[in-house]
């Protein structure tokens, strides 16, 4: 009787453990790169020139500072700096399509102290005076079934408050990820 009880308990424990492993993640890395590619394809369509993206990831925002969480949205300005802040992670370039990456070291060099006039000229020549998109890894609201991405367009020597920090919302449809208006 003891053996049967032990075997039955072990079987139940192992069965429950296997069920947990079979649960599919709701928002995967593949989904995140699909959102990024959808976002960048829309940007590419709206621009006549090459879209440049910084190779390092921008720090993501928290859901409570998006329009998905309207009660605290207006506190957003107190929590997100007016300049890009980066994390240590880099984009997996092979998963991002149709854009030109700017290496982090090269990007960062334009913001070091020194002769700003020379760097302005180099930026204008090398990057056609275009903005670089600093993208954050998408965050996902399982409650609203929406992915949110932060895109901070930037170039050297801008004044603060230029309105270049934008948040975009995407929802998965049967045709893939589609941009939507924020959910209120």
């Amino acid at each position: 009787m003891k053996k049967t009880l032990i075997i039955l308990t072990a079987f139940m424990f192992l069965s429950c453990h296997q069920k947990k492993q079979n649960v599919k993640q709701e928002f995967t890395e593949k989904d995140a790169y699909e959102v990024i590619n959808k976002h960048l394809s829309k940007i590419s369509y709206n621009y006549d020139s090459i879209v440049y993206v910084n190779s390092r990831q921008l720090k993501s925002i928290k859901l409570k500072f998006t329009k998905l969480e309207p009660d605290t949205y207006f506190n957003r300005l107190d929590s997100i700096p007016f300049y890009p802040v980066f994390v240590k992670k880099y984009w997996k370039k092979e998963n991002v399509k149709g854009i030109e990456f700017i290496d982090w070291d090269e990007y960062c060099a334009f913001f070091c102290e020194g002769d700003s006039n020379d760097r302005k000229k180099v930026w204008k020549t090398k990057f056609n005076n275009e903005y670089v998109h600093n993208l954050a890894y998408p965050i996902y609201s399982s409650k609203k079934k929406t992915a949110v991405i932060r895109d901070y367009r930037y170039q050297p020597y801008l004044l603060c408050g230029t309105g270049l920090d934008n948040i975009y919302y995407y929802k998965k449809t049967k045709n893939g990820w589609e941009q939507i208006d924020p959910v209120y």
Side-chain angles (χ1 to χ4, degrees), residues 14-66:
L14 292 174
S15 296
C16 291
H17 183 68
Q18 288 177 343
K19 286 181 184 178
K20 286 182 182 179
Q21 290 177 345
N22 292 334
V23 173
K24 185 182 177 219
Q25 267 189 314
E26 194 168 3
F27 187 74
T28 64
E29 183 178 272
K30 181 180 180 219
D31 290 321
Y33 278 100
E34 285 176 3
V35 169
I36 293 292
N37 284 318
K38 182 67 172 186
H39 178 69
L40 291 172
S41 70
K42 184 173 184 196
I43 291 171
S44 298
Y45 181 76
N46 292 332
Y47 282 79
D48 291 333
S49 60
I50 296 170
V51 174
Y52 297 101
V53 174
N54 186 353
S55 63
R56 197 170 208 179
Q57 290 180 13
L58 185 64
K59 183 177 180 180
S60 290
I61 56 173
K62 294 183 176 149
L63 273 175
K64 68 180 184 175
F65 298 114
T66 71

Short mmCIF file of all heavy atoms in Angstrom, two decimals, residues 14-66:
data_model
loop_
_atom_site.label_atom_id
_atom_site.label_comp_id
_atom_site.label_asym_id
_atom_site.label_seq_id
_atom_site.Cartn_x
_atom_site.Cartn_y
_atom_site.Cartn_z
N LEU A 14 5.16 14.66 -10.95
CA LEU A 14 5.81 14.76 -12.25
C LEU A 14 4.84 15.22 -13.34
O LEU A 14 5.20 15.98 -14.23
CB LEU A 14 6.46 13.42 -12.64
CG LEU A 14 7.66 13.00 -11.79
CD1 LEU A 14 8.11 11.60 -12.17
CD2 LEU A 14 8.80 13.99 -11.95
N SER A 15 3.61 14.79 -13.26
CA SER A 15 2.61 15.21 -14.24
C SER A 15 2.34 16.70 -14.14
O SER A 15 2.24 17.39 -15.14
CB SER A 15 1.30 14.44 -14.03
OG SER A 15 1.49 13.08 -14.27
N CYS A 16 2.23 17.22 -12.95
CA CYS A 16 2.00 18.65 -12.76
C CYS A 16 3.20 19.45 -13.24
O CYS A 16 3.06 20.49 -13.85
CB CYS A 16 1.75 18.97 -11.29
SG CYS A 16 0.17 18.31 -10.68
N HIS A 17 4.38 18.95 -12.99
CA HIS A 17 5.60 19.64 -13.41
C HIS A 17 5.67 19.74 -14.93
O HIS A 17 6.03 20.77 -15.47
CB HIS A 17 6.82 18.89 -12.85
CG HIS A 17 8.11 19.56 -13.18
ND1 HIS A 17 8.46 20.78 -12.66
CD2 HIS A 17 9.12 19.18 -14.00
CE1 HIS A 17 9.64 21.12 -13.13
NE2 HIS A 17 10.06 20.17 -13.94
N GLN A 18 5.29 18.70 -15.65
CA GLN A 18 5.32 18.72 -17.11
C GLN A 18 4.30 19.69 -17.67
O GLN A 18 4.56 20.36 -18.65
CB GLN A 18 5.07 17.32 -17.67
CG GLN A 18 6.25 16.39 -17.47
CD GLN A 18 5.94 14.99 -17.96
OE1 GLN A 18 4.78 14.63 -18.17
NE2 GLN A 18 6.98 14.20 -18.13
N LYS A 19 3.16 19.83 -17.05
CA LYS A 19 2.14 20.76 -17.54
C LYS A 19 2.64 22.19 -17.49
O LYS A 19 2.41 22.98 -18.38
CB LYS A 19 0.85 20.62 -16.74
CG LYS A 19 0.08 19.37 -17.07
CD LYS A 19 -1.20 19.30 -16.28
CE LYS A 19 -1.91 18.00 -16.55
NZ LYS A 19 -3.13 17.84 -15.77
N LYS A 20 3.37 22.55 -16.46
CA LYS A 20 3.92 23.89 -16.35
C LYS A 20 4.89 24.19 -17.48
O LYS A 20 4.94 25.28 -17.99
CB LYS A 20 4.62 24.09 -15.00
CG LYS A 20 3.67 24.23 -13.85
CD LYS A 20 4.45 24.47 -12.58
CE LYS A 20 3.53 24.58 -11.39
NZ LYS A 20 4.26 24.80 -10.14
N GLN A 21 5.67 23.22 -17.87
CA GLN A 21 6.66 23.42 -18.94
C GLN A 21 5.99 23.58 -20.30
O GLN A 21 6.55 24.19 -21.18
CB GLN A 21 7.63 22.25 -18.98
CG GLN A 21 8.56 22.22 -17.78
CD GLN A 21 9.47 21.01 -17.81
OE1 GLN A 21 9.25 20.07 -18.56
NE2 GLN A 21 10.52 21.04 -17.01
N ASN A 22 4.81 23.04 -20.48
CA ASN A 22 4.13 23.11 -21.77
C ASN A 22 3.35 24.40 -21.98
O ASN A 22 2.81 24.62 -23.05
CB ASN A 22 3.19 21.92 -21.94
CG ASN A 22 3.95 20.61 -22.07
OD1 ASN A 22 5.08 20.61 -22.52
ND2 ASN A 22 3.33 19.53 -21.66
N VAL A 23 3.27 25.27 -20.97
CA VAL A 23 2.54 26.52 -21.11
C VAL A 23 3.32 27.45 -22.04
O VAL A 23 4.51 27.68 -21.84
CB VAL A 23 2.34 27.19 -19.73
CG1 VAL A 23 1.73 28.57 -19.88
CG2 VAL A 23 1.49 26.32 -18.84
N LYS A 24 2.63 27.96 -23.07
CA LYS A 24 3.27 28.83 -24.05
C LYS A 24 3.31 30.26 -23.52
O LYS A 24 2.34 30.75 -22.97
CB LYS A 24 2.49 28.79 -25.37
CG LYS A 24 3.15 29.58 -26.46
CD LYS A 24 2.34 29.55 -27.72
CE LYS A 24 3.03 30.43 -28.73
NZ LYS A 24 2.12 31.19 -29.52
N GLN A 25 4.45 30.93 -23.71
CA GLN A 25 4.55 32.32 -23.34
C GLN A 25 3.62 33.15 -24.21
O GLN A 25 3.49 32.90 -25.40
CB GLN A 25 5.98 32.83 -23.55
CG GLN A 25 6.85 32.73 -22.35
CD GLN A 25 8.15 33.45 -22.62
OE1 GLN A 25 8.76 33.29 -23.66
NE2 GLN A 25 8.57 34.25 -21.66
N GLU A 26 3.02 34.16 -23.62
CA GLU A 26 2.07 34.98 -24.37
C GLU A 26 2.77 35.96 -25.31
O GLU A 26 2.29 36.24 -26.39
CB GLU A 26 1.19 35.74 -23.39
CG GLU A 26 -0.01 36.35 -24.04
CD GLU A 26 -1.01 36.85 -23.03
OE1 GLU A 26 -0.77 36.78 -21.82
OE2 GLU A 26 -2.05 37.32 -23.48
N PHE A 27 3.92 36.50 -24.91
CA PHE A 27 4.66 37.47 -25.73
C PHE A 27 6.11 37.02 -25.76
O PHE A 27 6.82 37.10 -24.78
CB PHE A 27 4.52 38.87 -25.13
CG PHE A 27 5.10 39.95 -26.00
CD1 PHE A 27 4.46 40.36 -27.15
CD2 PHE A 27 6.29 40.57 -25.65
CE1 PHE A 27 4.98 41.37 -27.95
CE2 PHE A 27 6.83 41.58 -26.44
CZ PHE A 27 6.16 41.98 -27.59
N THR A 28 6.54 36.53 -26.91
CA THR A 28 7.87 35.95 -27.04
C THR A 28 8.85 36.95 -27.65
O THR A 28 8.45 38.02 -28.12
CB THR A 28 7.81 34.71 -27.95
OG1 THR A 28 7.41 35.14 -29.26
CG2 THR A 28 6.83 33.67 -27.41
N GLU A 29 10.10 36.56 -27.69
CA GLU A 29 11.12 37.38 -28.36
C GLU A 29 10.79 37.54 -29.84
O GLU A 29 10.98 38.61 -30.42
CB GLU A 29 12.51 36.76 -28.18
CG GLU A 29 13.61 37.60 -28.79
CD GLU A 29 14.98 37.01 -28.59
OE1 GLU A 29 15.60 37.31 -27.55
OE2 GLU A 29 15.43 36.26 -29.48
N LYS A 30 10.25 36.49 -30.45
CA LYS A 30 9.84 36.56 -31.85
C LYS A 30 8.77 37.64 -32.03
O LYS A 30 8.83 38.44 -32.97
CB LYS A 30 9.31 35.21 -32.33
CG LYS A 30 8.89 35.19 -33.77
CD LYS A 30 8.37 33.82 -34.18
CE LYS A 30 7.98 33.90 -35.66
NZ LYS A 30 6.80 33.18 -35.96
N ASP A 31 7.80 37.67 -31.13
CA ASP A 31 6.77 38.72 -31.17
C ASP A 31 7.40 40.10 -31.04
O ASP A 31 7.02 41.03 -31.75
CB ASP A 31 5.74 38.53 -30.04
CG ASP A 31 4.85 37.32 -30.23
OD1 ASP A 31 4.46 37.05 -31.39
OD2 ASP A 31 4.56 36.63 -29.24
N ALA A 32 8.34 40.24 -30.12
CA ALA A 32 8.98 41.55 -29.90
C ALA A 32 9.66 42.04 -31.17
O ALA A 32 9.50 43.21 -31.55
CB ALA A 32 10.00 41.44 -28.75
N TYR A 33 10.39 41.15 -31.86
CA TYR A 33 11.06 41.57 -33.09
C TYR A 33 10.06 41.80 -34.22
O TYR A 33 10.29 42.65 -35.09
CB TYR A 33 12.16 40.58 -33.47
CG TYR A 33 13.43 40.86 -32.70
CD1 TYR A 33 13.78 40.11 -31.59
CD2 TYR A 33 14.28 41.90 -33.08
CE1 TYR A 33 14.93 40.38 -30.87
CE2 TYR A 33 15.43 42.18 -32.36
CZ TYR A 33 15.75 41.43 -31.27
OH TYR A 33 16.90 41.72 -30.55
N GLU A 34 8.94 41.10 -34.21
CA GLU A 34 7.90 41.39 -35.21
C GLU A 34 7.34 42.79 -35.00
O GLU A 34 7.10 43.52 -35.96
CB GLU A 34 6.78 40.34 -35.13
CG GLU A 34 7.15 39.01 -35.72
CD GLU A 34 6.07 37.95 -35.55
OE1 GLU A 34 4.97 38.26 -35.01
OE2 GLU A 34 6.32 36.80 -35.94
N VAL A 35 7.14 43.18 -33.74
CA VAL A 35 6.66 44.53 -33.42
C VAL A 35 7.70 45.57 -33.87
O VAL A 35 7.35 46.56 -34.52
CB VAL A 35 6.35 44.68 -31.92
CG1 VAL A 35 6.11 46.14 -31.54
CG2 VAL A 35 5.15 43.83 -31.53
N ILE A 36 8.96 45.32 -33.55
CA ILE A 36 10.03 46.24 -33.95
C ILE A 36 10.05 46.39 -35.47
O ILE A 36 10.12 47.50 -36.00
CB ILE A 36 11.41 45.74 -33.44
CG1 ILE A 36 11.47 45.81 -31.92
CG2 ILE A 36 12.55 46.51 -34.08
CD1 ILE A 36 11.48 47.20 -31.34
N ASN A 37 10.01 45.26 -36.19
CA ASN A 37 10.05 45.33 -37.66
C ASN A 37 8.83 46.03 -38.24
O ASN A 37 8.94 46.78 -39.21
CB ASN A 37 10.21 43.92 -38.25
CG ASN A 37 11.62 43.42 -38.10
OD1 ASN A 37 12.58 44.15 -38.31
ND2 ASN A 37 11.76 42.17 -37.72
N LYS A 38 7.67 45.82 -37.65
CA LYS A 38 6.45 46.50 -38.11
C LYS A 38 6.61 48.01 -37.91
O LYS A 38 6.29 48.81 -38.78
CB LYS A 38 5.23 45.96 -37.36
CG LYS A 38 3.94 46.57 -37.79
CD LYS A 38 3.61 46.17 -39.21
CE LYS A 38 2.23 46.62 -39.60
NZ LYS A 38 1.82 46.12 -40.90
N HIS A 39 7.10 48.38 -36.75
CA HIS A 39 7.31 49.80 -36.43
C HIS A 39 8.31 50.43 -37.40
O HIS A 39 8.05 51.49 -37.95
CB HIS A 39 7.79 49.93 -34.99
CG HIS A 39 8.07 51.33 -34.57
ND1 HIS A 39 7.08 52.27 -34.42
CD2 HIS A 39 9.24 51.96 -34.31
CE1 HIS A 39 7.63 53.42 -34.06
NE2 HIS A 39 8.93 53.26 -33.98
N LEU A 40 9.41 49.76 -37.62
CA LEU A 40 10.45 50.31 -38.49
C LEU A 40 10.00 50.35 -39.95
O LEU A 40 10.37 51.24 -40.70
CB LEU A 40 11.74 49.53 -38.33
CG LEU A 40 12.42 49.73 -36.97
CD1 LEU A 40 13.60 48.77 -36.82
CD2 LEU A 40 12.87 51.17 -36.77
N SER A 41 9.18 49.38 -40.37
CA SER A 41 8.70 49.41 -41.76
C SER A 41 7.78 50.60 -41.98
O SER A 41 7.78 51.22 -43.03
CB SER A 41 8.00 48.10 -42.13
OG SER A 41 6.77 47.98 -41.45
N LYS A 42 7.02 50.95 -40.95
CA LYS A 42 6.15 52.13 -41.05
C LYS A 42 6.99 53.39 -41.12
O LYS A 42 6.71 54.30 -41.90
CB LYS A 42 5.20 52.18 -39.87
CG LYS A 42 4.23 53.32 -39.97
CD LYS A 42 3.20 53.29 -38.90
CE LYS A 42 2.27 54.43 -39.22
NZ LYS A 42 1.42 54.95 -38.41
N ILE A 43 8.03 53.47 -40.30
CA ILE A 43 8.92 54.63 -40.33
C ILE A 43 9.60 54.73 -41.70
O ILE A 43 9.66 55.80 -42.29
CB ILE A 43 10.00 54.51 -39.22
CG1 ILE A 43 9.34 54.68 -37.86
CG2 ILE A 43 11.08 55.56 -39.41
CD1 ILE A 43 10.26 54.37 -36.71
N SER A 44 10.09 53.61 -42.21
CA SER A 44 10.77 53.60 -43.52
C SER A 44 9.84 54.10 -44.61
O SER A 44 10.25 54.81 -45.52
CB SER A 44 11.24 52.19 -43.88
OG SER A 44 12.17 51.74 -42.95
N TYR A 45 8.58 53.75 -44.53
CA TYR A 45 7.60 54.18 -45.52
C TYR A 45 7.37 55.68 -45.47
O TYR A 45 7.15 56.33 -46.48
CB TYR A 45 6.28 53.44 -45.26
CG TYR A 45 5.20 53.77 -46.25
CD1 TYR A 45 5.22 53.25 -47.54
CD2 TYR A 45 4.16 54.63 -45.91
CE1 TYR A 45 4.24 53.56 -48.45
CE2 TYR A 45 3.16 54.94 -46.81
CZ TYR A 45 3.21 54.41 -48.08
OH TYR A 45 2.23 54.73 -48.99
N ASN A 46 7.46 56.26 -44.27
CA ASN A 46 7.22 57.69 -44.10
C ASN A 46 8.44 58.57 -44.37
O ASN A 46 8.31 59.78 -44.43
CB ASN A 46 6.71 57.97 -42.67
CG ASN A 46 5.33 57.39 -42.44
OD1 ASN A 46 4.55 57.25 -43.37
ND2 ASN A 46 5.03 57.03 -41.20
N TYR A 47 9.60 57.99 -44.51
CA TYR A 47 10.82 58.75 -44.75
C TYR A 47 11.32 58.49 -46.17
O TYR A 47 11.14 57.42 -46.72
CB TYR A 47 11.93 58.33 -43.77
CG TYR A 47 11.78 58.90 -42.39
CD1 TYR A 47 10.88 58.35 -41.48
CD2 TYR A 47 12.53 59.99 -42.00
CE1 TYR A 47 10.74 58.87 -40.21
CE2 TYR A 47 12.40 60.52 -40.73
CZ TYR A 47 11.51 59.96 -39.85
OH TYR A 47 11.38 60.48 -38.59
N ASP A 48 11.98 59.50 -46.71
CA ASP A 48 12.58 59.34 -48.04
C ASP A 48 13.99 58.79 -47.95
O ASP A 48 14.56 58.36 -48.94
CB ASP A 48 12.63 60.69 -48.77
CG ASP A 48 11.24 61.19 -49.13
OD1 ASP A 48 10.35 60.34 -49.30
OD2 ASP A 48 11.07 62.41 -49.25
N SER A 49 14.58 58.84 -46.76
CA SER A 49 15.97 58.43 -46.63
C SER A 49 16.08 57.18 -45.76
O SER A 49 15.10 56.61 -45.33
CB SER A 49 16.77 59.58 -46.01
OG SER A 49 16.25 59.90 -44.75
N ILE A 50 17.32 56.81 -45.49
CA ILE A 50 17.61 55.63 -44.67
C ILE A 50 17.17 55.90 -43.23
O ILE A 50 17.33 57.00 -42.71
CB ILE A 50 19.12 55.32 -44.71
CG1 ILE A 50 19.54 54.96 -46.13
CG2 ILE A 50 19.49 54.23 -43.74
CD1 ILE A 50 21.03 54.86 -46.31
N VAL A 51 16.63 54.88 -42.59
CA VAL A 51 16.28 54.98 -41.17
C VAL A 51 17.46 54.42 -40.38
O VAL A 51 17.87 53.28 -40.58
CB VAL A 51 14.99 54.20 -40.85
CG1 VAL A 51 14.71 54.20 -39.36
CG2 VAL A 51 13.82 54.81 -41.61
N TYR A 52 17.99 55.23 -39.47
CA TYR A 52 19.11 54.82 -38.64
C TYR A 52 18.61 54.45 -37.26
O TYR A 52 17.76 55.13 -36.69
CB TYR A 52 20.12 55.97 -38.50
CG TYR A 52 20.75 56.37 -39.80
CD1 TYR A 52 20.32 57.49 -40.49
CD2 TYR A 52 21.79 55.62 -40.35
CE1 TYR A 52 20.90 57.87 -41.68
CE2 TYR A 52 22.37 55.98 -41.55
CZ TYR A 52 21.93 57.11 -42.21
OH TYR A 52 22.50 57.47 -43.40
N VAL A 53 19.16 53.36 -36.72
CA VAL A 53 18.79 52.90 -35.38
C VAL A 53 20.06 52.65 -34.58
O VAL A 53 21.01 52.05 -35.08
CB VAL A 53 17.94 51.60 -35.45
CG1 VAL A 53 17.68 51.05 -34.06
CG2 VAL A 53 16.63 51.86 -36.16
N ASN A 54 20.05 53.12 -33.35
CA ASN A 54 21.17 52.89 -32.44
C ASN A 54 21.22 51.40 -32.11
O ASN A 54 20.19 50.78 -31.86
CB ASN A 54 20.94 53.72 -31.18
CG ASN A 54 22.10 53.68 -30.22
OD1 ASN A 54 23.06 52.94 -30.41
ND2 ASN A 54 22.02 54.48 -29.20
N SER A 55 22.41 50.82 -32.09
CA SER A 55 22.55 49.39 -31.84
C SER A 55 22.25 49.00 -30.39
O SER A 55 21.96 47.86 -30.11
CB SER A 55 23.96 48.91 -32.22
OG SER A 55 24.93 49.55 -31.42
N ARG A 56 22.29 49.96 -29.49
CA ARG A 56 22.01 49.67 -28.09
C ARG A 56 20.54 49.97 -27.79
O ARG A 56 19.96 50.90 -28.34
CB ARG A 56 22.89 50.54 -27.20
CG ARG A 56 22.98 50.04 -25.79
CD ARG A 56 24.05 50.77 -25.05
NE ARG A 56 24.58 49.93 -24.01
CZ ARG A 56 25.55 50.31 -23.20
NH1 ARG A 56 26.09 51.48 -23.33
NH2 ARG A 56 25.97 49.50 -22.27
N GLN A 57 19.96 49.19 -26.91
CA GLN A 57 18.54 49.36 -26.60
C GLN A 57 18.31 50.50 -25.62
O GLN A 57 19.06 50.69 -24.66
CB GLN A 57 17.97 48.08 -26.00
CG GLN A 57 17.86 46.96 -26.98
CD GLN A 57 17.29 45.69 -26.34
OE1 GLN A 57 16.77 45.71 -25.25
NE2 GLN A 57 17.41 44.59 -27.06
N LEU A 58 17.26 51.24 -25.89
CA LEU A 58 16.80 52.29 -25.01
C LEU A 58 16.11 51.65 -23.80
O LEU A 58 15.51 50.58 -23.92
CB LEU A 58 15.79 53.15 -25.78
CG LEU A 58 15.24 54.40 -25.12
CD1 LEU A 58 16.35 55.42 -24.89
CD2 LEU A 58 14.18 55.01 -26.03
N LYS A 59 16.21 52.28 -22.65
CA LYS A 59 15.55 51.75 -21.46
C LYS A 59 14.04 51.76 -21.67
O LYS A 59 13.47 52.75 -22.11
CB LYS A 59 15.91 52.60 -20.24
CG LYS A 59 15.34 52.09 -18.96
CD LYS A 59 15.78 52.93 -17.78
CE LYS A 59 15.19 52.38 -16.50
NZ LYS A 59 15.59 53.17 -15.34
N SER A 60 13.39 50.64 -21.39
CA SER A 60 11.94 50.53 -21.57
C SER A 60 11.21 51.32 -20.49
O SER A 60 11.71 51.51 -19.39
CB SER A 60 11.49 49.07 -21.50
OG SER A 60 11.93 48.37 -22.63
N ILE A 61 10.01 51.73 -20.84
CA ILE A 61 9.15 52.38 -19.87
C ILE A 61 8.37 51.30 -19.12
O ILE A 61 8.38 50.14 -19.51
CB ILE A 61 8.17 53.35 -20.57
CG1 ILE A 61 7.36 52.61 -21.64
CG2 ILE A 61 8.89 54.53 -21.12
CD1 ILE A 61 6.28 53.45 -22.25
N LYS A 62 7.68 51.70 -18.08
CA LYS A 62 6.82 50.77 -17.35
C LYS A 62 5.40 50.96 -17.85
O LYS A 62 5.02 52.06 -18.26
CB LYS A 62 6.92 51.03 -15.86
CG LYS A 62 8.29 50.71 -15.32
CD LYS A 62 8.37 50.89 -13.84
CE LYS A 62 9.74 50.43 -13.38
NZ LYS A 62 10.25 51.12 -12.26
N LEU A 63 4.61 49.91 -17.84
CA LEU A 63 3.24 49.99 -18.34
C LEU A 63 2.43 51.09 -17.66
O LEU A 63 1.60 51.73 -18.29
CB LEU A 63 2.51 48.65 -18.15
CG LEU A 63 2.68 47.65 -19.28
CD1 LEU A 63 2.02 46.33 -18.92
CD2 LEU A 63 2.12 48.18 -20.59
N LYS A 64 2.69 51.33 -16.39
CA LYS A 64 1.88 52.33 -15.69
C LYS A 64 2.13 53.74 -16.21
O LYS A 64 1.38 54.65 -15.91
CB LYS A 64 2.11 52.26 -14.19
CG LYS A 64 3.46 52.68 -13.71
CD LYS A 64 3.54 52.55 -12.19
CE LYS A 64 4.87 53.05 -11.67
NZ LYS A 64 4.90 53.04 -10.22
N PHE A 65 3.16 53.93 -17.04
CA PHE A 65 3.42 55.25 -17.61
C PHE A 65 3.01 55.33 -19.08
O PHE A 65 3.46 56.18 -19.82
CB PHE A 65 4.90 55.61 -17.46
CG PHE A 65 5.31 55.70 -16.01
CD1 PHE A 65 6.21 54.80 -15.48
CD2 PHE A 65 4.76 56.65 -15.17
CE1 PHE A 65 6.57 54.86 -14.16
CE2 PHE A 65 5.11 56.71 -13.84
CZ PHE A 65 6.02 55.82 -13.34
N THR A 66 2.14 54.44 -19.50
CA THR A 66 1.61 54.47 -20.86
C THR A 66 0.13 54.79 -20.79
O THR A 66 -0.47 54.78 -19.72
CB THR A 66 1.79 53.11 -21.57
OG1 THR A 66 0.89 52.17 -20.98
CG2 THR A 66 3.21 52.61 -21.49
#
